[in-house]
Amino acid sequence: MVQFYSPNRRSVNRGIISVTADNLDAQGQGIARHQGKTIFISGLLPGEQAQIQLTEEKRQFAKAKVVKRLSDSPYRVAPRCPHVKVCGGCQQQHVASELQANTKADVLEHLIQRETGIDISAHPIIHSPEYGYRRRARLGLQYHAKQRTLLMGFRQSQTNDVVNIRHCSVMRPELERLLQPLSQCLNSLNAVKRLGHVELVLADNGPLIVLRHLDPLKPEDRETLRTFSVQQSVAVYLAGDEKSLAPLLAEQPEPWYQVAGVKLVFSPRDFIQVNDEVNQQMVSQALAWLDLQPTDRVLDLFCGMGNFTLPIANKVQAAVGVEGVAALVASGQYNARLNQLNNVDFFHENLEADIHQQPWAVQGFNKVLLDPARAGAAGVMAHIVKLAPEKVVYVSCNPTTLARDSKVLLEAGYHLVSVRMLDMFPHTRHLESMALFSREPMTIE
């Protein structure tokens, strides 16, 4: 067989190398140097020595696995979760929470400095409880024919296989206690082989589950779920497809949560922040940074169901929220009426399209908040500059796009006043952040 030369094909040295990690990246991988090359090593902490074997090698860097760890860092801790070695949900339970958070803050500072040239601290950090913080979780369901068992859990790392979990230490305890009885209930259904996934959500007025089923449920299955609902004091919603959603019991109350003195009713499928404690701190920080006054007109872009918009409207002359998902806009409008806020408007608009002719875009605003998805807000940054607000608060789930979009404001003469790292998802690689920009130089106390 003829073989063609590929310049990108590189052989991997499978020999054993001894290294000492000198840093940690945001993914929780140890960073070591060997013969001038940076090596990323899963499971190794700064200061630890290990014998490693390369698993992937590029021109500039390599990846490796630990063959034998020769020393332990004082920041190495025993994971609380019994599934940590196989479950893909958490990657950093072996790392002390202090090191996790500080590493993410360092990564954020480095990205901003690299992209903008500004050396700014991401401290103090907005911290989370180390465990028991998730108020929402989506679990895969996978029927195992040989074992005649429905597996319920998160996906195994780097596979589509479901890890059958009975405990999850990052879930709120009110949700974790449901795992075993819920698994028993679902395994007893006639439709056990035709279930898609299940979502667990903790509202301020109690827990709920959303069950995705692929075929119509038989009356006996509905009765089994009713019994589970009553015995476990949990609301149950049924989703026969990706669009339909119906409460199992007609008398189930609407789920809601409170933030900054505002009550937000939501649909079980609406996006809400997973970490309630960090969300409370994040909204409070945003309101403080905006320094809201009764005469302000505030624009909230990528507003969702009004997590920021409605608390802002409670303090200003007028607030406008713009969001691309129609269901979230409807929830925002409903909650504005519920909270008797008549000074707020919500618009359903595509913020990736030409926004200049959209109805909200011709209004004047003196302060702006935006909370885009991972892709960032490239499509609206020029318009924000055109509005010339006094202050801009940018909430981000991707530090790379935050750093990129920051340059538009900086080039327009804005000052980067403050940055915070939000420890929204402890034990994972996810990094949330927020930044304050001001048209005039200012300092934060």
Side-chain angles (χ1 to χ4, degrees), residues 377-394:
V380 301
M381 296 311 296
H383 193 78
I384 292 175
V385 170
K386 182 180 177 182
L387 291 171
E390 301 164 21
K391 293 183 176 67
V392 177
V393 171
Y394 191 133

Side-chain angles (χ1 to χ4, degrees), residues 42-43 69 76-94 154-159 161-165 167 169 427:
S42 178
R69 195 170 65 248
R76 180 171 291 277
V77 296
R80 185 180 296 185
C81 177
H83 309 292
V84 70
K85 291 185 178 180
V86 290
C87 179
C90 297
Q91 304 85 31
Q92 299 187 28
Q93 284 200 22
H94 64 291
F154 298 110
R155 301 292 174 183
Q156 186 172 340
S157 180
Q158 298 181 339
T159 77
D161 295 333
V162 168
V163 177
N164 198 36
I165 66 169
H167 301 281
S169 53
H427 309 301

Side-chain angles (χ1 to χ4, degrees), residues 14 16 39 81 100 112 119 151-152 162 177 180 196 211-212 219 231 252 265 279-280 291 308 310 318 361-362 389 412:
R14 298 294 182 182
I16 304 300
I39 305 177
C81 177
Q100 290 183 40
I112 290 176
D119 188 4
L151 306 181
M152 183 182 78
V162 168
R177 73 165 180 82
Q180 295 195 43
L211 177 63
R212 171 81 168 92
Q231 289 179 342
Q252 288 176 185
V265 171
N279 185 54
Q280 299 287 341
D291 187 25
F308 291 101
L310 297 173
V362 298

Side-chain angles (χ1 to χ4, degrees), residues 235-392:
V236 176
Y237 292 79
L238 301 177
D241 55 46
E242 291 299 333
K243 293 183 178 180
S244 67
L245 184 70
L248 179 65
L249 303 176
E251 66 272 16
Q252 288 176 185
E254 295 178 304
W256 55 267
Y257 72 92
Q258 285 187 307
V259 59
V262 175
K263 180 179 178 180
L264 281 81
V265 171
F266 63 94
S267 163
R269 279 187 167 160
D270 284 348
F271 170 81
I272 63 171
Q273 292 289 354
V274 162
N275 190 322
D276 177 56
E277 185 160 328
V278 170
N279 185 54
Q280 299 287 341
Q281 296 180 71
M282 176 177 69
V283 172
S284 177
Q285 181 68 85
L287 299 185
W289 273 357
L290 288 169
D291 187 25
L292 299 171
Q293 303 299 321
T295 56
D296 286 340
R297 292 182 51 81
V298 184
L299 175 65
D300 182 7
L301 299 172
F302 310 94
C303 69
M305 57 183 284
N307 186 60
F308 291 101
T309 326
L310 297 173
I312 287 171
N314 226 6
K315 297 177 178 292
V316 301
Q317 180 189 99
V320 168
V322 187
E323 167 59 44
V325 179
L328 294 177
V329 171
S331 292
Q333 293 167 335
Y334 177 85
N335 284 306
R337 295 190 297 271
L338 180 69
N339 288 277
Q340 298 181 330
L341 294 170
N342 301 316
N343 62 336
V344 58
D345 290 315
F346 286 89
F347 292 90
H348 175 219
E349 301 286 355
N350 179 7
L351 290 172
E352 300 301 321
D354 181 7
I355 64 175
H356 300 292
Q357 302 304 315
Q358 294 178 5
W360 62 269
V362 298
Q363 300 182 31
F365 303 95
N366 66 316
K367 293 173 184 177
V368 172
L369 183 142
L370 63 159
D371 184 8
R374 291 190 59 80
V380 301
M381 296 311 296
H383 193 78
I384 292 175
V385 170
K386 182 180 177 182
L387 291 171
E390 301 164 21
K391 293 183 176 67
V392 177

Side-chain angles (χ1 to χ4, degrees), residues 415-431:
H415 303 269
L416 178 55
V417 177
S418 191
V419 176
R420 293 284 186 275
M421 199 288 286
L422 312 173
D423 197 16
M424 186 76 79
F425 302 100
H427 309 301
T428 78
R429 62 175 64 96
H430 298 294
L431 194 168

Side-chain angles (χ1 to χ4, degrees), residues 14 16-17 39-43 50-56 63-68:
R14 298 294 182 182
I16 304 300
I17 302 170
I39 305 177
F40 297 95
I41 309 145
S42 178
Q51 293 177 341
I52 65 170
Q53 186 175 54
L54 300 187
T55 57
E56 181 180 345
K63 295 183 179 181
K65 64 180 181 180
V66 173
V67 176
K68 183 179 181 180

Side-chain angles (χ1 to χ4, degrees), residues 393-404:
V393 171
Y394 191 133
V395 180
S396 170
C397 60
N398 184 348
T400 301
T401 50
L402 168 63
R404 178 201 68 197

